[in-house]
Amino acid sequence: IGRKSPATLAQVLPLRRALATIRPDIVHARSRLPAWLAPLTIIDPLTYSVDGLRNVILGSSQFHLAHDIGIIGTVSVLLIFAGTAAFERMKL
């Protein structure tokens, strides 16, 4: 996987099979949080990114993939508008 070549894409399916077989706990990091901290992950966009990757790689996730993509897309658009507004107010 260390090379920048389209041939490295052939490693995706073996990696997916290995992750499905091993089921590493790091993919389910949210379940390891203290109970009082878990509700705060709902406002963290990274939660939906990791969940989407878990869905694509392992085929199981907490949320539906369309929900993950919708949240990530909405946050991205909001940050683009916020960044544009902040840039326009800057004094150069």
Side-chain angles (χ1 to χ4, degrees):
I1 291 189
R3 294 176 290 162
K4 292 184 179 180
S5 166
T8 58
L9 291 175
Q11 299 301 318
V12 171
L13 288 178
L15 178 62
R16 181 181 173 152
R17 276 189 233 113
L19 287 173
T21 302
I22 298 170
R23 307 289 284 180
D25 285 340
I26 193 165
V27 180
H28 300 280
R30 187 172 183 266
S31 65
R32 303 289 186 232
L33 288 176
W36 62 270
L37 193 57
L40 295 178
T41 62
I42 293 172
I43 60 172
D44 183 11
L46 185 59
T47 298
Y48 302 100
S49 301
V50 171
D51 192 64
L53 287 173
R54 184 184 312 134
N55 191 343
V56 170
I57 293 172
L58 299 177
S60 66
S61 65
Q62 181 177 0
F63 306 106
H64 192 272
L65 185 60
H67 181 259
D68 295 332
I69 293 171
I71 295 289
I72 295 167
T74 301
V75 169
S76 298
V77 168
L78 290 174
L79 289 175
I80 288 171
F81 282 121
T84 302
F87 185 74
E88 287 176 352
R89 285 183 283 166
M90 276 181 33
K91 305 252 185 199
L92 297 177

